[in-house]
Amino acid sequence: MAQALDEARLAEAAGEVPVGAVLIGPSAPGGPQEILGRGHNLPIQRHDPSAHAEMLALRSAAQRLRNYRLPGCTLYVTLEPCAMCAMALLHARLARVVFGAHDPKTGACGSVLNLFEDPRLNHHTLCHGGVAEADSAALLRAFFARRREQQREARRPAT
């Protein structure tokens, strides 16, 4: 999760909502896990509404493995995935998603809905939230506080 937080800081430095993700591959018995993909939010910079941290990490890993299926992999992400990202992760057949902060407005791992446990779907991914939640939430709170202050400054009349 520490590396996902580093990715989130890269998003913040780019003026994007600070969300970062790292996708880890299954390890060989007794071997270390390998980072297959990483990403941070870039929808503003790329003019792409799908350029969420999870999607970029997923694309990177799929390209690296030359396969759209990523069984046995785990995604670490600083914010609970939205429905778009959740469905992409399910289609990739990820084994597990570990996230930091819960998202009470768009979270699809249980906050608003839980796509990962929907019995109508043919694949289910384990989902575990609240890992490094305080750090993840602090990044988001500070980012949005700065953004609100900038908006207030822009509305103030010039003196």
Side-chain angles (χ1 to χ4, degrees):
M1 189 58 88
Q3 292 193 39
L5 284 162
D6 289 342
E7 288 291 324
R9 290 182 191 97
L10 292 174
E12 182 177 33
E16 302 274 358
V17 175
V19 178
V22 176
L23 198 142
I24 307 293
S27 61
Q33 291 187 321
E34 181 181 5
I35 295 176
L36 299 175
R38 55 179 67 236
H40 53 273
N41 272 5
L42 289 173
I44 298 166
Q45 186 175 334
R46 291 194 177 178
H47 309 289
D48 178 358
S50 71
H52 289 195
E54 302 95 323
M55 300 292 277
L56 298 177
L58 191 65
R59 287 177 187 144
S60 176
Q63 289 296 309
R64 182 168 179 185
L65 295 179
R66 302 183 56 78
N67 193 345
Y68 73 107
R69 301 281 194 208
L70 303 169
C73 292
T74 298
L75 179 80
Y76 292 87
V77 61
T78 58
L79 182 65
E80 180 180 1
C82 68
M84 174 186 68
C85 293
M87 287 309 296
L89 298 169
L90 284 167
H91 283 295
R93 303 296 194 259
L94 259 63
R96 189 168 68 127
V97 172
V98 178
F99 68 89
H102 289 81
D103 186 346
K105 293 184 179 179
T106 64
C109 284
S111 289
V112 175
L113 62 139
N114 193 338
L115 290 172
F116 294 98
E117 291 183 1
D118 191 318
R120 297 169 293 181
L121 300 176
N122 65 338
H123 177 76
H124 298 96
T125 296
L126 298 174
C127 201
H128 181 73
V131 176
E133 183 169 20
D135 294 333
S136 298
L139 272 173
L140 290 160
R141 272 193 307 276
F143 174 83
F144 285 112
R146 281 191 305 277
R147 182 174 276 180
R148 285 189 298 276
E149 181 57 33
Q150 290 168 347
Q151 290 171 346
R152 280 192 291 273
E153 287 292 324
R155 288 192 303 263
R156 287 193 180 123
T159 56

